[in-house]
Every structure is written in structure tokens, then in C-alpha cells.
Amino acid sequence: MVPHTALETARFIVLFLDGLGLGTAGSHNPLSDPATMPAMGSLSGVPLLAGAQVRRPNFLLKPIDATLGVPGLPQSATGQTALYTGHNAAKFRGRHQTGFANGSLRQLIEPYGLFRQVLAQGGTATLANLYSPAYFEAIAQRRWRYSVCTLLNMTAGLPFRMQYEYEQGEAVFWDITGEIASSRGIATPPISPELAGKILANLGRCYSVTLFECYLSDYAGHGQACDRAVTVLQRIDRFLAAVIDSLGSQTTLIVVSDHGNVEDLSTKRHTLNAVPLWVVGPAAAAFTEVQDLTGITPTILAHQFCL
């Protein structure tokens, strides 16, 4: 079962979309067509392209920097570490680091990780993603390495959500619908994006901070297939709409990425584009001054008990 936080505690859902930037219009950018993400486009009221910026009560959309002042293309390990610690991991490493976390990044994640800091302030936190025994077996056999969010959860001493919680409607697989998990025999039949969104919103009512990571957009960007990218982004759009429709009155949804990718299918590589920061809910105005990836964690921590 999931615990309940005190009534005075603000709640945040951090929804991480890997590889989603704000690019220029053109045939290379699936977000040029409003039909690709109709719900988020309608909610924002502007095209989801470079420079998109909207501020109104309980809603914020703005571009934020993912390059962090370090030459080269932004990468996942340092970008996610910056998001979840508030520290410039690329400058710490002296470069953008791709893929998974290493020992050096753990030096930032362990003391400054969002979950650990939330717990230290008296809040609660959870990682909504479904995990499997096979994942940890691959880690033990050194076939895989820990992701940043896995270390974030582990160094805070928090449990991982496994299959029985998924079957109880208390976890979401990273592909939203669970198609991949089902094909691997680690979950029940796939669910709709709408049901997945409701599950995440329900978890968000029960914790100070709930994190969910989705990698679909990054994989679609690397694949460079426009039809696949549109399908993926439409699934994400339906998921986001369902989360927003089911948000609790004290819950603020933060949607953010670590680097651009899927918005420019002319290349398999990441981009230098700014990434979107969507904030929906009562704490939206608090994120107005966030300029880059390092601003998310400090803002959450500063407003955890402000409602």
C-alpha cells in the first residue's frame, strides 16, 4: 500500500521525457504538426516549437537550457543528474556524459539527490517505474549499469516497484502501456495510456515527490522514423492528458527532458535545442525563474511545504 503525506505538504509529480526538445518547424520535426501532440498543444495554446513560452495561473511552459554551459551535445547521464540534484553534472565531469551513471556522478547523486533531500525535509518520495528481477540480475552480472534514477532511488534507501505492485495499479512501465514489459513476461497485458496516466496521478496524491521516467521519445529520435516518432508522441500526449485530468488539487505536474532528440529526425544524435518545461498545478508560478536543468530540484525543495 502507498502512504499518505500530511495535508499541508505540496505534492509534485516529475514526469521525465527522455530526448524531447523544442526545435524549428519543418519536415524533420514531428512536433511541427499540431496533430502529433494535440492535447498538450491545446493546453499550451502555442505551437510546441523553439521559443514556446506561456505563463498563466497554474500553468507554465518555457524553454530551458540543457547544454549547461559545457561544449558538445547534452547527454543523458549528466543531464539527468543535473535535473535530480540541482548541480551542474556536466561541469562537474568536465564534459557531457552519455548513458548511465558512474562512480563520479554518484558523488553528486548520493548527497544531493532529490529523493534523499525530500526525505531529509520530512517529505516522502517514490519512483513510479516498474522494475524486474531481471534488471538487477543484469546489473549484478555487469551486463548493465545503473541509470541515474535507479541510483537516485537506491541512495535514498527507497524500495523499487515490482510486478505485484504493477498488477495492483501502483506502478507504470517506462513505455507507458507496458507493451514491452508484457512481451518480456514481466507484466500483465498492456494497458491504455489513459489508465497509465490515472495510475501515475493517483500515486502523485500519496507522496511529496513522485518520479516517472519515459524513454520512448529518445528511442524514436535515434530511430529517425517519422511515423514511429508520431505514434510515440501521440501515446505520450494521451498519457500526459490523463495525468493532468486526474491531478489532485495539491499536486503539481512537472514535465521536463534532459536533451533534445526527437524534434530533429534529420540526425540520430542529440541536439543543442532547449527542452520544454511544462508545469501544471498550484506551484506552477514557482518555476518561472528556472533557466536550465539545475533549477528543478531546488525549486521543488523550496516549495515542498508551501501550500
Side-chain angles (χ1 to χ4, degrees), residues 10-24:
R11 296 173 176 86
F12 296 92
I13 297 174
V14 180
L15 203 165
F16 169 78
L17 297 177
D18 196 6
L20 179 65
L22 292 171
T24 57

Side-chain angles (χ1 to χ4, degrees), residues 266-295:
S266 69
T267 176
K268 288 186 177 182
R269 307 178 72 192
H270 296 169
T271 72
L272 296 171
N273 291 327
V275 298
L277 171 63
W278 276 292
V279 189
V280 182
F287 292 81
T288 303
E289 301 304 318
V290 172
Q291 300 299 318
D292 62 36
L293 301 181
T294 64

Side-chain angles (χ1 to χ4, degrees), residues 25-65:
S27 59
H28 61 282
N29 185 355
L31 292 170
S32 296
D33 185 350
T36 300
M37 295 189 77
M40 293 308 290
S42 176
L43 178 65
S44 302
V46 297
L48 303 180
L49 300 172
Q53 192 155 339
V54 180
R55 181 183 177 185
R56 59 177 184 264
N58 294 338
F59 182 83
L60 176 71
L61 166 61
K62 65 178 297 183
I64 62 173
D65 174 62

Side-chain angles (χ1 to χ4, degrees), residues 83-218:
L83 273 173
Y84 303 145
T85 67
H87 288 256
N88 190 327
K91 282 190 176 179
F92 178 78
R93 290 287 290 133
R95 60 182 177 86
H96 296 286
Q97 181 177 313
T98 188
F100 301 93
N102 62 8
S104 295
L105 290 177
R106 186 165 181 160
Q107 294 174 36
L108 291 179
I109 297 166
E110 188 153 7
Y112 303 118
L114 173 61
F115 284 178
R116 188 162 186 167
Q117 294 193 78
V118 167
L119 297 179
Q121 288 187 355
T124 56
T126 191
L127 180 58
N129 288 72
L130 168 67
Y131 277 72
S132 71
Y135 173 84
F136 294 103
E137 290 171 8
I139 294 289
Q141 295 169 4
R142 297 186 178 182
R143 290 186 286 114
W144 290 348
R145 290 181 292 159
Y146 288 123
S147 68
V148 172
C149 78
T150 303
L151 278 180
L152 183 76
N153 203 60
M154 182 181 298
T155 56
L158 294 174
F160 291 89
R161 294 180 179 273
M162 307 301 283
Q163 184 172 347
Y164 74 94
E165 287 162 305
Y166 184 86
E167 292 171 351
Q168 293 173 352
E170 295 184 351
V172 183
F173 198 61
W174 64 260
D175 72 347
I176 298 174
T177 60
E179 291 176 14
I180 294 174
S182 182
S183 71
R184 295 174 180 172
I186 59 174
T188 50
I191 60 176
S192 69
E194 288 77 12
L195 178 54
K198 290 178 182 179
I199 290 170
L200 182 59
N202 287 339
L203 287 173
R205 293 190 185 95
C206 302
Y207 296 88
S208 306
V209 175
T210 300
L211 170 64
F212 174 70
E213 290 204 327
C214 174
Y215 317 122
L216 284 171
S217 39
D218 192 53

